[in-house]
Amino acid sequence: MTDTKQDAPPSWLVLLLAVSCGLTVANLYYAQPLLTELRHTFGVGEAAAGGVVTATQIGYAAGMLLLVPLGDRLENRGLVATLLALACASLVATGVAPGFAVLLIASLVAGAASVVVQILIPFAADISPDAIRGRIVGRVVSGLLFGILLSRVVASLLAEVTSWRVVFLISAAAMAALAVVLRFSLPRRAPKTDVHYGQLLRSTLAMWTKHPALRHRALYQSAMFGAFSAFWTTIAFVLTAPPFNYSQLGVGLFALAGAAGAAVAPLAGRWSDHGHGRQLTAGAFALCAAAFALAGFGAHSVVLLAIAAIAIDMAVQATLVTGQHVIYQLDPSARARVNSIYLGTFFVGGAIGSQAGSIAYHLGGWTAVVVFAGVLPLLGLAGMTRTEV
């Protein structure tokens, strides 16, 4: 490429992809600050309520492995619109769920359909020239990360003034609108393979053994997202209990602290473009572990908890972007399949972190959560010393 500017995607398209990722990934996190409300509505305990978050993330992980590879097989505009329509229907079911079992099933399906995010991110990588791919992907991922963090604020605010059910019904309407906008706005992208679905899945699973860098980066991010999920799944229990006694709105406003960490994503992309991804990853592991140590002293200080939240989110975003920069260079003809392995493993770690965090809180309170979650980035750092990526 001799003219990077000429080949760069238009800024409006990058913004549209970022906003779409943010709105869609938010479906995975609306429930986190609402767990206390869900407990009261359905009469379940803390660990069971945390299962809503776990079910959503398991659905997302399954969608990563079973649906995202279709991004290499099918024309992306139609696939994206179909998945968003499915997300819309499942969110309506979530919002009107008459019982806890229905809520869990609808959450599982909503999680699976929300993998449209992981079709849009490889799409952004494909339309970006090599020299600025990390930067463009970082911008799109920053939209995803803002969606993760601001979803809690939106959910808490709406639940405070209306009902937790309204949160999911409004998101359903947003998915319907996105389905139409993206269907007519995305440029056509030709499929990269014509193999049948079974062979597509086998080739996806083969990526795990074919690319050690993919395997290592997926496990790193799994550990980081497990820690991230343990923190954000249980922090609502901490903030709504003494000495804080926060309302739903207060829990949501606390999540704004974490949103400050999203600014690191484009910077991480730039550093990765310049070959500093490994050093940045090691620093992010160390920062995340230190943040949980700080959070352990924050059981009675919202300031310490907020500082820890910012540091955790910065660390997770930095490793996510640097990891994607590495894996997107492995096989340009199979980016959707490579991404499905990376993010599928990533969200399995998140699901385990959410459920284990809820159980740890039930058994040992906040101290048990920070000890469990703080060990995870240290395991990632230890593993990194034995690899080259």
Side-chain angles (χ1 to χ4, degrees):
M1 304 252 178
T2 58
D3 190 346
T4 298
K5 290 184 178 179
Q6 182 180 352
D7 294 323
S11 57
W12 68 264
L13 180 57
V14 176
L15 178 62
L16 175 62
L17 291 171
V19 171
S20 300
C21 286
L23 289 174
T24 306
V25 80
N27 297 329
L28 307 180
Y29 300 97
Y30 286 131
Q32 284 186 349
L34 305 178
L35 294 182
T36 300
E37 295 292 321
L38 295 177
R39 286 179 57 204
H40 294 158
T41 298
F42 296 104
V44 298
E46 292 164 345
V52 176
V53 178
T54 303
T56 307
Q57 292 179 341
I58 288 175
Y60 196 79
M64 287 298 308
L65 296 175
L66 300 176
L67 298 176
V68 170
L70 291 171
D72 286 335
R73 176 66 178 80
L74 303 176
E75 203 285 312
N76 282 190
R77 293 178 302 175
L79 177 59
V80 164
T82 300
L83 289 174
L84 287 172
L86 179 60
C88 174
S90 57
L91 287 165
V92 170
T94 301
V96 300
F100 193 67
V102 174
L103 180 69
L104 287 176
I105 294 171
S107 297
L108 185 76
V109 177
S114 295
V115 296
V116 67
V117 170
Q118 302 308 332
I119 295 171
L120 295 178
I121 293 176
F123 185 95
D126 280 344
I127 62 176
S128 303
D130 293 343
I132 61 168
R133 180 169 294 120
R135 194 180 317 167
I136 297 299
V137 170
R139 289 173 184 169
V140 175
V141 169
S142 68
L144 177 149
L145 296 167
F146 271 115
I148 292 175
L149 298 166
L150 295 181
S151 61
R152 303 183 183 96
V153 182
V154 172
S156 297
L157 178 60
L158 288 175
E160 182 80 8
V161 299
T162 56
S163 161
W164 65 265
R165 295 182 184 275
V166 173
V167 175
F168 297 100
L169 295 176
I170 290 178
S171 183
M175 295 303 100
L178 267 184
V180 175
V181 171
L182 292 176
R183 178 64 182 82
F184 293 102
S185 298
L186 290 180
R188 182 174 179 81
R189 176 172 171 268
K192 296 182 177 181
T193 180
D194 59 358
V195 301
H196 61 76
Y197 182 65
Q199 188 176 346
L200 188 71
L201 291 185
R202 287 193 294 273
S203 68
T204 299
L205 295 175
M207 297 291 173
W208 179 267
T209 54
K210 182 179 180 181
H211 299 295
L214 170 61
R215 187 166 62 248
H216 296 148
R217 281 288 173 174
L219 291 173
Y220 296 163
Q221 199 59 30
S222 180
M224 288 292 275
F225 199 58
F228 175 94
S229 297
F231 180 90
W232 284 108
T233 298
T234 57
I235 195 65
F237 299 144
V238 176
L239 295 176
T240 55
F244 302 112
N245 297 310
Y246 280 13
S247 65
Q248 283 299 316
L249 179 58
V251 174
L253 291 176
F254 176 84
L256 284 174
V264 79
L267 295 176
R270 286 179 180 272
W271 292 329
S272 296
D273 285 336
H274 288 90
H276 305 306
R278 181 173 171 81
Q279 298 93 316
L280 182 59
T281 301
F285 280 138
L287 176 63
C288 189
F292 276 103
L294 182 64
F297 295 103
H300 300 281
S301 171
V302 72
V303 173
L304 293 182
L305 289 176
I307 294 172
I310 294 170
I312 291 166
D313 291 351
M314 288 179 64
V316 171
Q317 291 164 32
T319 55
L320 173 62
V321 174
T322 55
Q324 286 180 311
H325 186 270
V326 170
I327 68 168
Y328 287 156
Q329 298 180 66
L330 297 176
D331 190 344
S333 67
R335 284 198 174 113
R337 282 167 283 173
V338 167
N339 199 51
S340 74
I341 292 292
Y342 180 63
L343 272 298
T345 308
F346 168 4
F347 274 90
V348 167
I352 293 172
S354 292
Q355 195 61 41
S358 297
I359 294 171
Y361 186 83
H362 176 72
L363 296 176
W366 183 238
T367 299
V369 173
V370 297
V371 170
F372 160 71
V375 167
L376 295 179
L378 294 177
L379 291 175
L381 185 60
M384 187 178 179
T385 62
R386 303 174 65 180
T387 70
E388 297 181 355
V389 294

